[in-house]
Amino acid sequence: MKKTIFLAVLLLVLSGCQSTTPQYYYGSYERNVYAFFRGDMAALNEQIAELESDIARAEANQLSPAPGMYAHLGYLHLLQGDQTTGFSYFEQEKQLFPESQHYINFLMVNAQGE
């Protein structure tokens, strides 16, 4: 009887150890944001390539990219003068995270100089 109770408790404890998949995929996003705010502007191309690679990896693994990832990528493209690509990433951010719509619209208006 004690063995049965012990095994039941052990199975119950071990069943709680299963990990869950993360809700969002961050990849190098946090490191890229840190490098950007640190002032590492020389590496914009590298940051863009890493973020685009992270987004492709997230989609391949059927995970959602982290909130802000598309917006940051769009902003990096704007800094390089590519407004079309930058705005398309802003639109993707708004589609994935509708709660960011007002802020993204604000960024887009400021980028257009209106």
Side-chain angles (χ1 to χ4, degrees):
M1 179 71 169
K2 288 183 180 183
K3 286 184 180 182
T4 306
I5 293 173
F6 176 74
L7 286 174
V9 170
L10 182 64
L11 288 174
L12 183 64
V13 169
L14 291 178
S15 67
C17 295
Q18 180 181 7
S19 64
T20 59
T21 58
Q23 185 174 4
Y24 300 112
Y25 180 76
Y26 284 87
S28 65
Y29 173 57
E30 293 169 321
R31 186 179 35 156
N32 279 308
V33 170
Y34 176 74
F36 175 78
F37 285 110
R38 188 179 60 211
D40 191 6
M41 298 300 282
L44 278 180
N45 288 332
E46 293 174 19
Q47 291 178 25
I48 288 172
E50 284 183 11
L51 287 175
E52 288 176 344
S53 173
D54 287 341
I55 288 171
R57 199 172 304 122
E59 290 171 355
N61 292 322
Q62 297 176 346
L63 296 170
S64 295
M69 188 179 283
Y70 279 111
H72 186 67
L73 184 55
Y75 186 66
L76 293 176
H77 278 283
L78 288 178
L79 289 176
Q80 286 191 320
D82 187 359
Q83 199 172 44
T84 304
T85 305
F87 283 173
S88 71
Y89 281 124
F90 281 166
E91 290 297 331
Q92 287 178 310
E93 181 76 22
K94 289 193 310 187
Q95 288 176 0
L96 283 176
F97 306 101
E99 65 275 9
S100 70
Q101 182 174 358
H102 294 294
Y103 181 65
I104 299 299
N105 289 339
F106 168 77
L107 292 177
M108 292 172 77
V109 167
N110 282 337
Q112 292 172 345
E114 294 180 5

